[in-house]
Amino acid sequence: TLQRHSFPTRRSSDLIKKINKNYGITIILITHNMEEAVEADRIVVMDNGKIVMNGKPKEIFRNVATMKKIGLDVPQVTELAYELRQNGINIESDILTIDEMVNALCQLK
């Protein structure tokens, strides 16, 4: 019988990074999982077959309104930072990880 093995996202991500680093092979990953996309070197956002944005994760995900407009999510901590900014809290707009969020919150006065 054929057995299917599902790899946790973390293991897949680690494998992709290792292949890229050790063999210099560019990996193109198509995903709607923004937590995976955060780990990319570069993101190309497409809508209806056209490139809408192209850049590093911090550049792409700071455009929360644009992402939402085309029906894509952003990482949860990026969404939280966006909502905090919308409510008058002066916090960075390019937060992608929990550690970055903790650091930003600790710096608030």
Side-chain angles (χ1 to χ4, degrees):
T1 63
L2 180 64
Q3 291 183 335
R4 290 184 174 212
H5 297 281
S6 65
F7 294 96
T9 302
R10 178 89 261 148
R11 281 183 58 197
S12 299
S13 176
D14 291 345
L15 179 61
I16 288 169
K17 286 178 183 178
K18 196 176 284 187
I19 290 170
N20 176 255
K21 181 180 178 186
N22 293 343
Y23 300 101
I25 296 173
T26 298
I27 309 294
I28 298 173
L29 177 65
I30 300 168
T31 184
H32 285 102
N33 181 335
M34 296 307 126
E35 305 302 330
E36 284 179 347
V38 163
E39 297 186 30
D41 293 328
R42 186 176 84 167
I43 297 174
V44 177
V45 178
M46 298 182 74
D47 186 35
N48 291 319
K50 294 182 180 155
I51 295 175
V52 177
M53 291 184 282
N54 179 359
K56 295 190 176 292
K58 284 191 175 281
E59 297 165 353
I60 299 300
F61 289 123
R62 73 171 49 119
N63 297 299
V64 176
T66 302
M67 294 290 282
K68 287 178 175 244
K69 183 179 176 186
I70 61 174
L72 292 174
D73 289 325
V74 296
Q76 289 180 341
V77 292
T78 307
E79 175 81 21
L80 176 58
Y82 174 78
E83 293 297 330
L84 289 171
R85 288 182 69 77
Q86 295 298 309
N87 285 284
I89 297 174
N90 188 18
I91 195 165
E92 297 148 15
S93 62
D94 61 354
I95 294 173
L96 299 178
T97 68
I98 292 171
D99 288 341
E100 290 175 350
M101 176 59 81
V102 169
N103 289 336
L105 291 172
C106 288
Q107 292 177 18
L108 291 177
K109 294 182 181 185

